[in-house]
Amino acid sequence: MTDIQNQIDAGLEQAFAKHGFSEPNIETLRKATGVSLRTLYKYVPSRDKMILRALEHRHRRYMEHVFPEAETADPLPLATIVDRVAQWMRAETTHGCLFHAAVASSPQDGELRALLDRHKAEMANRAASMSSLKGSEGEISIIIEGLMQSWPLRGDESLRAAKVLCTLMPDVHRSGAGSIP
């Protein structure tokens, strides 16, 4: 990825995070990217593609924040991963998940839905793998999604509840009782 592409993607991400997906006009998006209109359209030919590029950029940043280390042989406590999600929410997403907001703004868009599904699946798979809880991806997803969706209303209270659920995961995982059909 070139510096210009990264600059555009970062600017688009910040513009959509700040203004939502229906409010910013093309001039607002162009200003956020710091490039000319011609350059913006050269790299991202439509508004729909701008949203997808912004979310792809968001996905990369989120994954780097929550999972900064490469997968190692030593398991990482699920509570540590949940703490990192809460740090992300405090700094980046105080109003809720940008991926869900994008899908809510255009519920019939299959590309947006696929990107949301891929983002959430990758997060759950990586968290399960790194915490040695393979097979519990569904439960992990529910814990993290619950944290993210309740964050705008409950903040740190959501984090405390998610961490309580994290303490139950090893027992549920060992017993096999938590697998979601």
Side-chain angles (χ1 to χ4, degrees):
M1 182 176 291
T2 68
D3 289 341
I4 291 285
Q5 287 172 313
N6 194 50
Q7 176 184 334
I8 290 170
D9 293 350
L12 291 171
E13 178 199 350
Q14 292 307 308
F16 289 124
K18 180 178 180 181
H19 301 289
F21 292 96
S22 59
E23 182 183 323
N25 61 29
I26 293 300
E27 180 57 17
T28 299
L29 296 173
R30 186 207 61 78
K31 283 181 182 176
T33 64
V35 298
S36 70
L37 190 59
R38 182 177 181 179
T39 300
L40 177 59
Y41 277 121
K42 174 185 172 188
Y43 284 93
V44 195
S46 72
R47 184 182 181 86
D48 289 344
K49 296 295 182 200
M50 290 177 193
I51 292 170
L52 292 170
R53 292 277 298 268
L55 291 173
E56 287 286 355
H57 187 262
R58 180 74 152 210
H59 171 75
R60 286 188 300 275
R61 286 190 336 101
Y62 176 85
M63 296 304 282
E64 288 169 4
H65 177 84
V66 176
F67 307 104
E69 62 277 297
E71 292 190 36
T72 64
D74 296 327
L76 186 66
L78 185 57
T80 299
I81 295 169
V82 167
D83 277 332
R84 291 176 183 173
V85 172
Q87 289 168 354
W88 175 267
M89 295 303 290
R90 279 186 198 100
E92 301 283 342
T93 315
T94 57
H95 302 294
C97 176
L98 195 61
F99 290 86
H100 283 290
V103 170
S105 75
S106 188
Q108 305 306 318
D109 188 321
E111 279 187 284
L112 276 178
R113 171 60 84 175
L115 181 56
L116 167 70
D117 291 345
R118 182 175 58 84
H119 169 69
K120 299 303 182 177
E122 186 176 334
M123 178 273 308
N125 289 335
R126 181 125 9 130
S129 176
M130 291 183 76
S131 61
S132 296
L133 293 170
K134 279 285 204 192
S136 297
E137 290 82 356
E139 293 85 350
I140 290 169
S141 181
I142 296 288
I143 292 169
I144 293 175
E145 285 300 302
L147 168 62
M148 294 182 79
Q149 293 304 317
S150 62
W151 185 266
L153 296 173
R154 305 224 182 268
D156 284 331
E157 183 182 330
S158 300
L159 175 59
R160 284 189 293 279
K163 290 176 93 168
V164 167
L165 295 173
C166 289
T167 65
L168 303 173
M169 285 303 298
D171 292 336
V172 170
H173 182 72
R174 272 192 302 278
S175 73
S179 57
I180 298 172

